[in-house]
Amino acid sequence: MDELRDLKIKSDIRQLLKSANIREMLNHLPSWKEKQSCYLGCDIDLNQYLGVSHCSLGRGKEIFIEHLIDQQLSSGLIDMNEIFNKSKQTLDAMEVVGITEQFNDSADLICNFLGIPNPKNLPRENISPEKLALGNLTYRESGKIPDDVIKQIDEFTVCDREIYEYGKRLFNRQLQRKKKKFFWFLPV
């Protein structure tokens, strides 16, 4: 039964994405609230599933992981405050935190950490023509998304946005440390 429900959800998501109806998608998928925080803040031991094909689990891997997260939340053993704090701890434990909007700097930090040279030209893949046309504007600033939809997205992603800002602060600190490490100024 869960398998049929999951397939229907995937099909519904594909249809909503094709129609680009964000408002309908948000109303249809309330379980997407705070998903990024949940991915960072829920302890999920996937070791028990090593070597097990996703097909034998009866779910796609993304839906399977979301199912494990939903189990933790519905059990009442963990709440969003705990997830938020654990998300911050997870980010704190990372050697490098990257930010998509600063992809080149993020790649530079990763290469520096790994001790490998930076690629001469970083690929610009998976960028929609609409995003390229926006330049530095975000979709929020572009006026293409109605205010009521932005408000609903904001309500669904309070923790996610706070975690993102926290991650940006960590990223900026890492970037500043790297710059200080490589730039020495002699006193005059």
Side-chain angles (χ1 to χ4, degrees), residues 2 5 59 62-71:
D2 281 344
R5 182 183 58 90
R59 312 173 172 278
E62 297 86 9
I63 289 180
F64 177 71
I65 291 172
E66 288 177 12
H67 175 72
L68 293 175
I69 290 170
D70 289 341
Q71 278 182 328

Side-chain angles (χ1 to χ4, degrees), residues 44-59:
I44 299 174
D45 181 8
L46 296 175
N47 287 322
Q48 60 187 318
Y49 303 104
L50 286 175
V52 178
S53 83
H54 300 301
C55 295
S56 66
L57 295 172
R59 312 173 172 278

Side-chain angles (χ1 to χ4, degrees), residues 9 32 36 51 60 67 82 93 144 147 150 176 180:
I9 288 172
W32 280 18
Q36 295 305 311
H67 175 72
E82 289 177 73
K144 292 183 178 214
D147 289 341
I150 289 174
Q176 290 306 313
K180 284 180 183 176

Side-chain angles (χ1 to χ4, degrees), residues 115-139:
I116 60 175
N118 293 356
K120 291 191 186 333
N121 295 312
L122 290 170
R124 290 184 53 100
E125 298 177 8
N126 199 20
I127 301 173
S128 71
E130 295 84 14
K131 181 66 176 169
L132 289 173
L134 289 173
N136 288 331
L137 286 179
T138 65
Y139 283 104

Side-chain angles (χ1 to χ4, degrees), residues 8 17 24 26 39 42 51 69 80 102-103 117 121 132 157 166 174:
K8 175 154 178 30
L17 288 172
E24 188 178 334
L26 288 170
Y39 278 120
C42 286
I69 290 170
M80 280 312 294
Q102 292 179 264
F103 185 76
N121 295 312
L132 289 173
T157 60
Y166 185 78
Q174 292 171 350

